[in-house]
Amino acid sequence: MFALSNPFRRIFRGGPQFSGTQPIKIAPVEVHDIETGADKRSRTLKHLLKLNHVTHSIVYHDLQYHNHLPHILGSAYLLNSSPEHLSDIYEAEAKELDKWVDSPGEVSEYDWRDYLGDPHYQRAYVDFFEDQLVLHGYDWKGVVEKFLFEGKAPLVNCLVAGLAHPLIHLGYAFELSSKELAMEALGLAATQHNFLHKYLDDPSYSNPSLAHSEDRSNDLFDIFARVAKDTRLDGAANAGIEGLFKTHEAVVLEYWNAWTMTDPEKQFKHSQSAATALLAVTPQPAGKFNFFFVHLLTSSHAVRILLPVIPAKFHVSLVRQWWLITLTLFCIQYRPDVDTRIVADYDLGGRDWDWVLGKAVSGKHSIDAHYVKALRSMKIASDTWGDEDQFYLKAAVKFGAEFDGWGGFRAHDMACELDEM
C-alpha cells in the first residue's frame, strides 16, 4: 500500500481555461495495489475483477444500466471484507449482468472519436483501449493520460455523463491501481459521452457574468434554496435531463455560474458536505433515499480521489463538472428542500463509525452497491476534512439505520433517465 502520486507531470494540451484557476491541494488517499498484494483478500479481489472484466459488459440491460460490480467489490475490499464476502458479492451481482457481445465494428486510432456516445461500441472501445495499453508498455496511467487529458475536447470534460459512472469507475481504478478498471473507465467515458461536454470544452459557458449578481454565492445550500424558489423552473422536472437543457439552458447556466469558486479547496470541501446532505435529508417516502442523489455523493468521492493525481489545470473544472450534474439532477428531482438541521439534530444513540462500517460489510444491505459506496464515501469525507460537528457521522448513521431501498424514480421508467445521461 502506498500513497497516490501524480502520474501526469507534463503540461497538457487542450482542456478548459478558467482565469484564476488554482490547484486544489489535498492529500492523496492510500492505494491498495491489488496486482502485487500477496494476501488472500487482495488476490480474491484481483481475480474477481479480472473475471468480471473478461465476462461482463460495462453497460447492460438493453444498454441502459451500468456494471457496478467493481464498485461494490472495491468498496467492500477497502472496508476489510473477507474473501468469502467478496465472493458472495460477486455471485449476487453477476446474476444481473450481461455477457459481452461483439460491437458493430472495431475502433481504431483514426476513428475512435466517431463513435463517442454509442454504447453499442462498448466492446470495441474496451478492446481499443487495451490495444493502446500494449502500445504503452502496459502503463495504464499513460493510456489514461492520452485519452482523458489531451486534445481539443478531452474526455475528462464529460465524465459525469451516464450518471457519473465513468468518473466513479475511474476513481476505483486509481484507488486499487487496476489497469482493468482503468480501461473500463475509458470505455464508459467513450460510450456515455454526451452533450454535457460542450459546457466544459467551451470556456464561454463558464462566465460569472451569466449569473445575476444577487444569485452569486460560494454557498451551495444558498443556491439550492434559490433554485427551489425560481418559478422559471416550474415544470422543468418533467423534461428529463436533455430536455432540461433544451428548454431551460439559460437558467441552468445562470445557477451553474452562480457558484463563485474564490477558494477552490474550501469550496470543494463544502461541496462534499452538500453531496452528503442531498442524500441524507431530501424528502422521500419512509426508508427510501434518492437513487440519483447517491450518485452525486459517490461521484464527489471520486473527485476527491482524482484531484491529487490529475493535472492542476483540470481541478476546478472537474469540481464544476460535478456541480453541473448536481444542479441538473436537483432540477429534475423537483428541487427539494435541503434542510441540514435534520442531520445536525440527529441523535447518534451511541453509534459510531465502527457501527456504520459494520452495516456496510455485514448488514442487511451489504450487497447493495450504492448503499455500501455511500457509507464509505461519507467515511472518507470525514477522514479527509475532519468531522468536529459529526456531520458526516450523523449523516452516515441516519442513512445506515433508516435505509430500506431507493426512491426518486419518476413516473416514467428510470431507464429513460439513464439513457438520456
Side-chain angles (χ1 to χ4, degrees), residues 203-220:
S204 68
Y205 287 109
S206 296
N207 188 340
S209 67
L210 294 176
H212 298 299
S213 58
E214 63 271 19
D215 290 330
R216 296 175 197 161
S217 175
N218 58 14
D219 188 325
L220 291 177

Side-chain angles (χ1 to χ4, degrees), residues 59-86:
V59 186
Y60 70 103
H61 194 273
D62 297 326
L63 305 177
Q64 295 167 339
Y65 301 160
H66 304 87
N67 184 339
H68 295 90
L69 184 50
H71 307 171
I72 186 171
L73 284 174
S75 292
Y77 168 82
L78 293 166
L79 293 174
N80 294 314
S81 289
S82 68
E84 293 74 21
H85 184 53
L86 295 176

Side-chain angles (χ1 to χ4, degrees), residues 348-365:
L348 288 171
R351 291 166 291 189
D352 57 12
W353 281 114
D354 286 340
W355 182 91
V356 171
L357 301 184
K359 297 288 283 187
V361 301
S362 58
K364 177 182 177 182
H365 302 288

Side-chain angles (χ1 to χ4, degrees), residues 41 45 112 141 204 233 252:
R41 288 192 334 107
L45 178 63
W112 69 272
K141 292 177 184 177
S204 68
L233 289 165
V252 173

Side-chain angles (χ1 to χ4, degrees), residues 12-69:
F12 289 82
R13 303 185 301 275
Q17 303 293 329
F18 298 104
S19 60
T21 294
Q22 304 172 40
I24 299 176
K25 297 179 180 179
I26 56 176
V29 298
E30 188 176 46
V31 168
H32 298 249
D33 191 343
I34 60 171
E35 284 294 326
T36 59
D39 61 290
K40 186 176 181 181
R41 288 192 334 107
S42 298
R43 297 197 315 270
T44 299
L45 178 63
K46 176 176 67 174
H47 297 321
L48 292 177
L49 290 178
K50 289 180 183 292
L51 181 59
N52 176 67
H53 182 74
V54 301
T55 305
H56 301 121
S57 59
I58 54 177
V59 186
Y60 70 103
H61 194 273
D62 297 326
L63 305 177
Q64 295 167 339
Y65 301 160
H66 304 87
N67 184 339
H68 295 90
L69 184 50

Side-chain angles (χ1 to χ4, degrees), residues 40-312:
K40 186 176 181 181
R41 288 192 334 107
S42 298
R43 297 197 315 270
T44 299
L45 178 63
K46 176 176 67 174
H47 297 321
L48 292 177
L49 290 178
K50 289 180 183 292
L51 181 59
N52 176 67
H53 182 74
V54 301
T55 305
H56 301 121
S57 59
I58 54 177
V59 186
Y60 70 103
H61 194 273
D62 297 326
L63 305 177
Q64 295 167 339
Y65 301 160
H66 304 87
N67 184 339
H68 295 90
L69 184 50
H71 307 171
I72 186 171
L73 284 174
S75 292
Y77 168 82
L78 293 166
L79 293 174
N80 294 314
S81 289
S82 68
E84 293 74 21
H85 184 53
L86 295 176
S87 296
D88 289 343
I89 289 172
Y90 186 93
E91 293 301 322
E93 284 282 308
K95 293 176 183 178
E96 305 296 325
L97 301 176
D98 291 342
K99 295 187 183 302
W100 284 110
V101 296
D102 291 337
S103 297
E106 293 188 351
V107 171
S108 74
E109 182 87 36
Y110 307 102
D111 64 3
W112 69 272
R113 284 189 171 272
D114 294 349
Y115 307 102
L116 290 178
D118 189 345
H120 294 93
Y121 281 85
Q122 59 172 321
R123 174 78 267 183
Y125 270 116
V126 173
D127 288 343
F128 168 68
F129 291 126
E130 291 192 323
D131 290 344
Q132 294 292 312
L133 188 61
V134 176
L135 297 177
H136 282 74
Y138 289 91
D139 174 13
W140 64 266
K141 292 177 184 177
V143 179
V144 170
E145 170 187 331
K146 177 178 179 179
F147 290 98
L148 275 191
F149 298 106
E150 295 185 357
K152 294 179 61 177
L155 288 182
V156 68
N157 285 345
C158 206
L159 291 180
V160 297
L163 211 56
H165 285 102
L167 177 59
I168 296 167
H169 218 87
L170 188 66
Y172 283 101
F174 274 91
E175 276 198 278
L176 299 170
S177 191
S178 169
K179 62 179 181 296
E180 286 81 15
L181 295 191
M183 299 305 101
E184 291 168 7
L186 289 175
L188 285 169
T191 58
Q192 305 304 293
H193 194 268
N194 67 10
F195 71 97
L196 291 174
H197 73 91
K198 71 179 183 181
Y199 300 110
L200 281 302
D201 287 340
D202 185 346
S204 68
Y205 287 109
S206 296
N207 188 340
S209 67
L210 294 176
H212 298 299
S213 58
E214 63 271 19
D215 290 330
R216 296 175 197 161
S217 175
N218 58 14
D219 188 325
L220 291 177
F221 296 109
D222 180 51
I223 298 176
F224 287 142
R226 293 174 185 270
V227 173
K229 296 176 182 178
D230 195 328
T231 58
R232 293 177 298 172
L233 289 165
D234 289 352
N238 297 322
I241 293 166
E242 189 171 356
L244 175 69
F245 282 86
K246 288 180 178 178
T247 58
H248 296 83
E249 180 187 57
V251 184
V252 173
L253 293 182
E254 279 183 30
Y255 286 112
W256 185 45
N257 284 286
W259 191 32
T260 54
M261 294 191 68
T262 55
D263 187 338
E265 182 179 332
K266 181 178 180 179
Q267 287 172 265
F268 173 60
K269 174 183 177 180
H270 172 64
S271 75
Q272 293 222 279
S273 65
T276 299
L278 281 171
L279 177 64
V281 308
T282 51
Q284 298 292 321
K288 306 299 181 184
F289 288 82
N290 192 291
F291 176 80
F292 296 93
F293 289 170
V294 73
H295 290 82
L296 301 178
L297 174 59
T298 55
S299 60
S300 176
H301 169 74
V303 174
R304 184 266 173 270
I305 300 303
L306 295 173
L307 284 176
V309 299
I310 68 173

